[in-house]
Amino acid sequence: GESVGLHLPTLSVQEGDNSIINCAYSNSASDYFIWYKQESGKGPQFIIDIRSNMDKRQGQRVTVLLNKTVKHLSLQIAATQPGDSAVYFCAENMSTSGTYKYIFGTGTRLKVLA
Amino acid sequence: EAQVTQNPRYLITVTGKKLTVTCSQNMNHEYMSWYRQDPGLGLRQIYYSMNVEVTDKGDVPEGYKVSRKEKRNFPLILESPSPNQTSLYFCASSRTGGTEAFFGQGTRLTVV
């Protein structure tokens, strides 16, 4: 597998429990946020996104919460499964300026314990 | 099948020898982007393209070039690779700049 996850913070969760992965973003003007999942040896895969006019968005088993006051983003995974084991990245974008630069967090490794 | 295809998947080269990593998407996406991924640093954007003939620098553009002559292709060019460009590279595309991205499988580049 790839070595990009060597220095990542790790969250270990029992199978069936809920997981919460946190992310602090850097730019108060960012208005679009995405969570990606990266499995070993693969490219990042979209999970869920949220725009700055919302503070919560739900998908299938996942929920993203956005707190603009403290520039904080979280990803909640319900009933965590072994297939959820991966590295999770948040990304921010400031699209209103007309530019589309993305800034990614350094990632969190999620380990699901059987 | 909708996908982003990068080639090659693995490449070992020597310092100074020009190389190109190709990226192609079949989803008619306007926005394409290149990232490098290094341990402890996450993904960093190298260049992006809003549409054909429109490219812009990301956070780490030094030592790289790109072109966007056609909508589907966005090659990454290293004119004179150096060892500090040893990294895992990802190409991504999205419908627009503010929508979710689809990533390729990655290109592991080693410059010796």
Side-chain angles (χ1 to χ4, degrees):
Chain A
E2 305 298 351
S3 63
V4 292
L6 281 179
H7 308 293
L8 294 175
T10 299
L11 174 67
S12 296
V13 175
Q14 206 68 37
E15 182 179 354
D17 287 352
N18 297 335
S19 303
I20 300 176
I21 300 171
N22 296 305
C23 175
Y25 64 91
S26 59
N27 193 335
S28 56
S30 292
D31 57 4
Y32 179 56
F33 306 87
I34 313 177
W35 279 100
Y36 289 96
K37 171 187 180 183
Q38 187 176 24
E39 296 173 288
S40 182
K42 296 185 178 180
Q45 180 184 6
F46 170 83
I47 303 173
I48 192 167
D49 59 2
I50 189 168
R51 300 198 185 271
S52 58
N53 60 352
M54 302 173 71
D55 52 24
K56 180 179 179 179
R57 190 158 189 237
Q58 288 184 284
Q60 188 178 13
R61 274 201 315 118
V62 294
T63 301
V64 56
L65 299 177
L66 174 63
N67 185 330
K68 295 183 283 293
T69 304
V70 294
K71 293 191 290 185
H72 184 268
L73 200 63
S74 70
L75 176 71
Q76 300 177 359
I77 304 173
T80 313
Q81 302 168 359
D84 295 328
S85 291
V87 176
Y88 290 81
F89 296 96
C90 65
E92 62 181 288
N93 173 247
M94 194 173 67
S95 59
T96 51
S97 70
T99 64
Y100 288 88
K101 281 188 183 181
Y102 279 88
I103 300 172
F104 279 73
T106 50
T108 298
R109 179 181 299 283
L110 176 64
K111 279 190 179 177
V112 181
L113 308 171
Chain B
E1 182 191 351
Q3 59 186 0
V4 178
T5 304
Q6 295 178 227
N7 279 297
R9 290 290 313 276
Y10 300 91
L11 179 60
I12 300 174
T13 190
V14 296
T15 299
K17 185 177 180 183
K18 181 179 178 179
L19 67 92
T20 299
V21 185
T22 63
C23 175
S24 180
Q25 50 93 5
N26 62 359
M27 295 169 278
N28 201 36
H29 285 168
E30 291 184 352
Y31 184 90
M32 296 186 75
S33 185
W34 275 103
Y35 298 88
R36 60 178 289 172
Q37 187 173 36
D38 302 288
L41 296 176
L43 286 137
R44 292 180 292 167
Q45 195 170 31
I46 303 171
Y47 269 95
Y48 63 94
S49 169
M50 296 292 295
N51 215 323
V52 175
E53 302 293 1
V54 181
T55 63
D56 235 320
K57 295 178 181 178
D59 281 334
V60 288
E62 295 78 20
Y64 305 95
K65 283 174 57 177
V66 292
S67 69
R68 187 91 182 273
K69 293 184 170 53
E70 310 161 277
K71 201 170 190 179
R72 64 182 292 129
N73 296 322
F74 190 45
L76 179 69
I77 303 154
L78 284 73
E79 295 270 5
S80 183
S82 62
N84 65 10
Q85 291 179 298
T86 292
S87 187
L88 178 59
Y89 291 87
F90 287 101
C91 178
S93 76
S94 54
R95 186 172 49 81
T96 70
T99 54
E100 82 262 25
F102 294 79
F103 282 79
Q105 288 287 80
T107 296
R108 169 67 71 183
L109 172 66
T110 302
V111 183
V112 297

